[in-house]
Amino acid sequence: MGLAQRAAVLVVGDELLSGRTRDGNGAWLAERLTAVGLEVRGIHLVGDAADAVAEGVGAALRQASCIVVTGGLGPTDDDGTRAGLARAAGVKLTEDAEALAMVREAQTQRGFELDARRRREA
């Protein structure tokens, strides 16, 4: 099977490394990827730090051409998923106007104002 038909899953979260929370997403995603005909070559579990995420992407890319990332991407200051993914891709983070509109709408529907922490998600 060629690299193009291989997938890897990257699961992000400090809470998973501490053992406080068990990872169910990695196995669930691996099962779904296998069901559509991909060979899952690994499930990588990394913490929230940007360096850990970037290193996890590198490890997954050595095994597969398709990487599915789960976890991270919350509005908290300790979540380095965005920065780690950008670093691994060699790009800078930028705010996306369409994503900002979606985040703003979601916050409005919940009765919240868009604050700087939620805006990061765009």
Side-chain angles (χ1 to χ4, degrees):
M1 182 171 284
L3 188 63
Q5 298 170 316
R6 294 179 180 162
V9 178
L10 181 64
V11 184
V12 179
D14 286 343
E15 70 282 2
L16 300 168
L17 294 176
S18 72
R20 291 189 318 258
T21 303
R22 291 190 186 266
D23 169 41
N25 292 341
W28 185 88
L29 286 166
E31 184 179 8
R32 298 312 180 278
L33 292 167
T34 300
V36 298
L38 294 169
E39 177 188 355
V40 177
R41 299 293 297 210
I43 299 174
H44 303 267
L45 185 61
V46 299
D48 290 313
D51 288 344
V53 173
E55 289 170 13
V57 168
L61 281 173
R62 286 188 289 280
Q63 295 179 315
S65 62
C66 171
I67 303 171
V68 178
V69 180
T70 182
L73 297 178
T76 60
D77 293 331
D78 64 342
D79 184 357
T81 305
R82 283 176 293 278
L85 292 174
R87 186 175 304 154
V91 298
K92 291 186 179 211
L93 289 173
T94 60
E95 184 175 275
D96 182 85
E98 187 175 336
L100 179 58
M102 291 170 53
V103 171
R104 180 176 281 124
E105 176 64 24
Q107 292 300 297
T108 300
Q109 288 179 358
R110 291 178 178 91
F112 299 115
E113 289 186 34
L114 182 68
D115 61 14
R117 290 176 66 162
R118 290 287 177 195
R119 187 175 186 135
R120 287 178 33 159
E121 295 183 37

